Amino acid sequence: MHQPAGNASRQQYTLLMVSIALAMFMTSLDGTIVNIALPTISTIFDLPSTTVSWVATAYLLVLTGSILVFGKVADRIGFKTVFLAGFAVFTAGSFFCGFFPEVFDSFGMLIASRVLQAIGGAMIAAIAPALVAAFLPMKMKGKAMGVVTTFAAFGTAAGPILGGILTQYLSWNWIFYINVPVGAAAILLGSYAIPAGVTASGTPSPFDRLGAVLIFAGLGSLIYAVSQGSALGWTDPTILAALAAAVIALGYLVLHERRTADPLLDFRLFSNRNFLYVNLMLALAYFLMGGVNYLLPFFLELVKGFDPSTSGLVLTALSFAMMASGFLSGMLINRVGNRRLCIAGALVISAGYLMFRFFSAESTIYYISGALAAVGFGLGLMLSPGTNMVMNMAPRDRQGMVSSLISVERTGPITLGISFISMIFVQAMLTVASHRHVTTSSPAEIRIDVLATGFDLVFVAVFAVSLAVVALAFLSRDEVHADNREEETFEAAAAGA
């Protein structure tokens, strides 16, 4: 492998890492900063909470449904083109979200702007991991993945805090305007630091339009069903229709993609058991994280009696621990290896979820924060090397595809985890309450011990799933595709562009 030639090349490596880190920060920040302003937006537009929730739902539907499409587009036209275009669209969409709804006094303009923002977010999220795999040398990949994980965790942690400050002291519009200067800086950095790359040679096969429609329809229907199921009821005809559409579209997608010469998602990659194990490990880790992050505020406020601000501070223990271990894992990947870090991280995650099993009304804030910190620390240790393992197993002409798959495995399972965990909690609490003859009471009168028992049953389920994450980590192994053994250096990529 060639080494960087001089300070200029090293500077470009650093700026490339900063560009990728800003991408992860923006997409992670936007995933959490908006929710805290939804009550304010509801009041301003005089809309019920079910309608205002579409500010978050519309973004999630479009983001998840289109990530895989843009991953394939990037493999055909180049990572730099899609990445910079994504930042431009995301930044413009962010400005429109803050500006047009107020100028035209239209909630519809906000939803339309969120859709545009989501398209840009999908372009960014699809490419960020691929940039690390394609343009950084092996000795820097571990550190880069650690930096990416750290900035993603920082964005997640900073979202609620920053969103609350901006909404309270400026206005709700500023939760979107905050993306504009960050996006502009990322575009300038990326234009300089990212090589144009080498696109596929020869005449490309026709773009898989049917696959794109099936992916968007299948994932979009699934995300809609799981995000709205609790509100509308799982037996609601709309939810049942969405679930049926998801099953039909995703089922036909698998059949279609296996027959297509140049698929959007090459399911043949999953014939490699190691590739399957690591992807399942990452998906389950995000699944649990999404569900627990959604449910814990209810535990802290209903069982512990904390106020919302205290609950928010306690929950940041997970994100800040994840930041610290993400940086640590980046430094250790080359010394320890991806698999060992994944195993260590999975064990720490499972230990943290085991601590959840002993949560009660008497649990101290230090014990709860410690359990959250353990989960966050384990996630930081595992996610960076896990992502690195997946990208290393992908052939060079599938880097964009696999990068987008990793992003879908983050956004989709988090949403599924929220729905699954909340469904278990409600059902567990109703079952316990019916045995204790309190179902005739109003929600405010339900006794604390019934709530606590409902949480107990959920935490048992969470710990059981975490054991599957541990098993998958042990089954995984470090594996590098032949395309990635003789790596292209930054200078070679730039010269061949």
Side-chain angles (χ1 to χ4, degrees), residues 62-376:
V62 177
L63 178 74
T64 306
S66 55
I67 285 177
L68 286 168
V69 175
F70 287 119
K72 184 59 181 177
V73 170
D75 280 330
R76 296 165 69 95
I77 69 173
F79 296 161
K80 182 173 185 175
T81 301
V82 174
F83 191 70
L84 295 182
F87 260 117
V89 173
F90 185 88
T91 304
S94 297
F95 177 78
F96 294 161
C97 284
F99 184 73
F100 285 134
E102 192 166 54
V103 171
F104 294 101
D105 191 24
S106 169
F107 181 71
M109 290 298 298
L110 177 57
I111 298 301
S113 299
R114 282 288 277 173
V115 169
L116 180 65
Q117 189 186 34
I119 292 172
M123 297 168 79
I124 296 170
I127 304 307
L131 289 174
V132 174
F135 297 127
L136 290 176
M138 185 66 74
K139 69 175 184 178
M140 293 188 68
K141 282 185 180 180
K143 181 179 179 181
M145 287 296 183
V147 169
V148 167
T149 301
T150 300
F151 271 78
F154 180 60
T156 301
I161 300 171
L162 187 58
I165 293 173
L166 293 174
T167 302
Q168 182 173 347
Y169 293 104
L170 293 174
S171 72
W172 67 269
N173 314 73
W174 281 92
I175 64 175
F176 299 110
Y177 289 150
I178 192 68
N179 291 325
V180 175
V182 179
I187 292 171
L188 292 175
L189 283 174
S191 298
Y192 170 73
I194 303 173
V198 181
T199 56
S201 59
T203 303
S205 57
F207 186 76
D208 184 13
R209 294 183 180 88
L210 177 58
V213 171
L214 291 171
I215 286 175
F216 188 86
L219 291 179
S221 298
L222 180 62
I223 294 301
Y224 171 79
V226 299
S227 62
Q228 299 295 312
S230 297
L232 298 179
W234 292 102
T235 57
D236 182 88
T238 305
I239 298 301
L240 293 176
L243 288 173
V247 171
I248 293 171
L250 294 177
Y252 187 62
L253 172 70
V254 175
L255 297 176
H256 171 72
E257 295 296 272
R258 292 178 69 88
R259 296 194 299 259
T260 302
D262 190 17
L264 287 174
L265 180 57
D266 190 352
F267 286 94
R268 289 169 293 189
L269 291 170
F270 292 98
S271 61
N272 180 343
R273 289 187 179 181
N274 192 45
F275 187 84
L276 176 63
Y277 293 153
V278 181
N279 278 280
L280 278 176
M281 178 187 71
L282 293 175
L284 286 178
Y286 284 119
F287 175 86
L288 292 177
M289 184 177 71
V292 168
N293 281 352
Y294 170 79
L295 191 64
L296 272 181
F298 294 95
F299 175 83
L300 296 174
E301 294 177 28
L302 296 177
V303 176
K304 290 297 298 176
F306 292 163
D307 57 67
S309 60
T310 302
S311 298
L313 287 174
V314 171
L315 291 172
T316 59
L318 187 150
S319 296
F320 285 116
M322 188 174 169
M323 288 169 55
S325 60
F327 183 75
L328 177 64
S329 69
M331 295 190 298
L332 293 177
I333 282 178
N334 290 333
R335 300 179 187 177
V336 178
N338 294 306
R339 180 176 180 270
R340 290 180 180 177
L341 282 176
C342 284
I343 292 173
L347 289 172
V348 175
I349 290 170
S350 191
Y353 286 134
L354 179 61
M355 293 176 68
F356 282 24
R357 173 63 186 81
F358 301 100
F359 280 6
S360 69
E362 289 74 38
S363 297
T364 67
I365 193 172
Y366 302 107
Y367 180 82
I368 295 171
S369 299
L372 283 166
V375 171

Side-chain angles (χ1 to χ4, degrees), residues 141-142 145 333 338 383-393:
K141 282 185 180 180
M145 287 296 183
I333 282 178
N338 294 306
L383 294 180
S384 295
T387 301
N388 206 28
M389 289 171 76
V390 174
M391 294 305 302
N392 283 343
M393 284 185 278

